[in-house]
Amino acid sequence: MNANTMTTPGEVRLSYVNVFEPQTRPGSTDAKYGVTVLVPKSDMATKAAIDAAIEAAVTSGVTKCWSGVRPPVPSLPVHDGDGPRPNDGQPYGAECRGCWVFTASSKNAPGVVDANVQPILDPRKVYSGVWGRVNISFFPYNNNGKKGIGCGLNHVQVLRDGEPLVDRVSAEDAFGAPAAPQAPAAPAYPQAPAWGAQPMAPGYTQAPAGAINPFTGQPM
């Protein structure tokens, strides 16, 4: 790898962070580690360093994989976060506004360290929205006639926390508001006899209408 194509730009924001477990993107069979990098447009020095590394990769591509001819418009990895996404024409998310955006990936696990260059073992400390630095390498490619520059991810350094870039809802929104407690049902009591009626002695039942007393021969 040409040293001129490798760079460690200034502080950037990380999105779509996947640096501990490789994942396979739709349409691909290769599992890779990766991160989307957001470079504030106000940081012109970082953008200049990235542009210089890309230009070095383009120059190396002329001899390495483009048969001595520089493509008129090679496909470049850095895009304008205020413009449309190149793959579908839809606008970027709000977090990309005012930033340059690119994705760096690798088949090999990147080094992940904190501000003191100590390894980070807890994946929860490296999330979408955190601020840090990346060590990246730009390289030329010729993929079935499509010529351009890709971006490889070497290392990630976390510098400070940021607002997480995830759509989260409260538990109440996710599962609904809890139902109001129901009052316990009143206990059932035996029906009181009608006014003037004589209560039945235990063990006896009401005789059916029209029954005849077998001892007197009179209606009961």
Side-chain angles (χ1 to χ4, degrees):
M1 181 69 66
N2 188 331
N4 293 331
T5 65
M6 182 183 298
T7 184
T8 304
E11 187 178 73
V12 297
R13 199 176 189 192
L14 307 181
S15 182
Y16 294 100
V17 177
N18 176 42
V19 295
F20 290 102
E21 291 291 339
Q23 292 186 358
T24 303
R25 298 178 61 182
S28 174
T29 58
D30 295 329
K32 293 184 178 181
Y33 303 86
V35 63
T36 295
V37 181
L38 310 180
V39 182
K41 290 183 177 180
S42 57
D43 188 352
M44 293 180 288
T46 289
K47 180 59 163 57
I50 292 172
D51 288 344
I54 290 176
E55 181 58 30
V58 170
T59 300
S60 69
V62 172
T63 56
K64 287 185 176 180
C65 55
W66 297 336
S67 303
V69 179
R70 179 185 177 118
V73 186
S75 178
L76 301 180
V78 179
H79 306 287
D80 186 350
D82 294 310
R85 295 188 305 216
N87 59 331
D88 59 10
Q90 296 297 312
Y92 280 98
E95 73 279 3
C96 298
R97 306 287 168 75
C99 296
W100 299 103
V101 183
F102 65 92
T103 296
S105 61
S106 174
K107 292 183 179 180
N108 300 318
V112 183
V113 299
D114 61 17
N116 297 316
V117 200
Q118 297 301 306
I120 295 178
L121 303 179
D122 186 353
R124 294 173 298 180
K125 295 184 178 180
V126 192
Y127 54 89
S128 295
V130 75
W131 290 83
R133 303 177 73 197
V134 290
N135 178 260
I136 50 180
S137 299
F138 294 98
F139 57 89
Y141 64 83
N142 186 349
N143 186 9
N144 295 324
K146 182 179 180 180
K147 303 173 182 179
I149 301 297
C151 183
L153 178 64
N154 303 321
H155 306 290
V156 174
Q157 182 182 34
V158 173
L159 298 178
R160 61 186 176 93
D161 287 326
E163 182 180 356
L165 298 176
V166 293
D167 294 328
R168 300 196 65 178
V169 297
S170 67
E172 290 79 7
D173 290 338
F175 300 112
Q182 300 292 324
Y189 292 96
Q191 181 69 36
W195 181 258
Q198 296 298 320
M200 298 292 294
Y204 291 89
T205 59
Q206 181 70 35
I212 303 298
N213 189 316
F215 299 103
T216 65
Q218 299 297 318
M220 297 180 68

